[in-house]
Amino acid sequence: MPPRWAADAAGLIAGYLLDAAIGDPRRLHPVAGYGTATSALEQRVYRPHRAAGTLFTTIAVGVPVLAGLAAGRATRNHPAARFAVTAAATWTVLGGRTLRREARTMARHLDAGDLPAARGRLNHLCGRDPSALDEPELARATVESVAENTSDAVVAPLVWGALLGPAGLLGYRAANTLDAMVGHRSPRYARFGTPSARLDDLLNLAPSRLTGLITAAVSPIAGGTPKETLRVWRRDRNDHPSPNAGQCESAMAGALGVRLGGRNVYFGRSETRPFLGDGPRPSAVHLRRAARVSGAVGAVAVVLAAGVAAARGGLTARSGITAGGGGGGGAGPEGPRLFRARPRS
């Protein structure tokens, strides 16, 4: 078992490997349970203004953070327990295997020409209306969702876990789930959901940019080049209305050599996004390449996260700090899906 200073680092790696090997539990997923609890909280505190949304966000994110801090403090002198807690929390909040599986499932449907099945599958990834989408648009929606969710469901949890241990893992996943539940634009959540949306944007500022850089580094796995990926990323990353999604999507467009963006139709409204990247519209073959890129980005991210966690733990151990969080080592209004249904992708 690793010493105390390495427990978080080893736990992050173990949790990542668990997600890569077995993915999310089919039943009784903790994130689904969290969504049920926060839905009940929403019914109690909802008012159509930001003050109520701020109260809701504070409680719904604060409770998991406090739970993570308590777990960190309880295990700070027990490396084996700390390792187990961090590994379990990491496995719970990651979604890399499921994300890659969804991309490959969509590719199979498109290869078979089964548009009804492909349209029915799209809502596992994003909140667009799939009823009128053809093959290139279904592929585009999938690539964009894979790109953004590689950050949201893999890189960002690892970043916050590396920095803050279990509290960072649980707090980030809580904030990201709230954003998926109430952070989207709708009459009900136009003001109430703003605090959740802004918190999620803030927490993803650094991870999304890290995702873009790592995507460039691993782009040869999809037939791209780091130079071309970086060129597209630098040129197009700020064209997206989201402060974070464009970082991931433009890098993925550069790595795959495709053009993303255009008109997105949601249930009851539409948005026109600037184009990202150069080349053809995506097809089924690009979905498999996007899944490979996503997996490679996750592998690099967990190595970096483990290094940061180990360094943080070592510094804490040498300085004698024993704070609870340091020391050792996705859906729409109907409820949370693993990946966001806030219709940005």
Side-chain angles (χ1 to χ4, degrees), residues 125-323:
L125 287 168
C126 64
R128 299 183 198 177
D129 181 356
S131 60
L133 297 185
D134 57 10
E135 177 180 344
E137 286 300 295
L138 287 165
R140 176 172 73 88
T142 302
V143 169
E144 290 172 357
S145 294
V146 168
E148 184 179 1
N149 284 300
T150 297
S151 178
D152 287 3
V154 183
V155 177
L158 291 171
V159 166
W160 288 106
L163 294 174
L164 299 175
L169 290 162
L170 299 180
Y172 172 78
R173 176 50 63 205
N176 191 246
T177 302
L178 286 191
D179 178 58
M181 294 177 67
V182 305
H184 50 89
R185 300 183 184 95
S186 70
R188 177 175 176 85
Y189 298 126
R191 297 182 66 81
F192 179 83
T194 297
S196 294
R198 295 294 176 265
L199 176 61
D200 181 74
D201 286 342
L202 178 64
L203 295 179
N204 279 291
L205 284 174
S208 64
R209 285 149 181 81
L210 178 61
T211 299
L213 290 171
I214 299 176
T215 299
V218 304
S219 58
I221 201 172
T225 66
K227 181 179 179 180
E228 174 64 12
T229 304
L230 285 172
R231 182 188 71 82
V232 172
W233 179 65
R234 289 175 179 140
R235 185 191 69 189
D236 297 343
R237 57 182 176 161
N238 294 319
D239 291 344
H240 198 285
S242 163
N244 300 315
Q247 304 289 329
C248 313
E249 293 179 17
S250 60
M252 184 67 81
L256 300 181
V258 298
R259 188 180 70 177
L260 304 177
R263 183 170 177 262
N264 294 346
V265 178
Y266 305 104
F267 295 92
R269 66 184 181 85
S270 67
E271 295 180 5
T272 300
R273 306 278 177 81
F275 291 123
L276 307 175
D278 306 306
R281 303 301 262 174
S283 62
V285 67
H286 296 111
L287 304 190
R288 295 185 176 90
R289 293 175 186 171
R292 290 201 298 271
V293 170
S294 180
V297 169
V300 172
V302 74
V303 171
L304 295 176
V308 171
R312 173 179 58 82
L315 288 172
T316 302
R318 286 194 294 272
S319 65
I321 298 172
T322 58

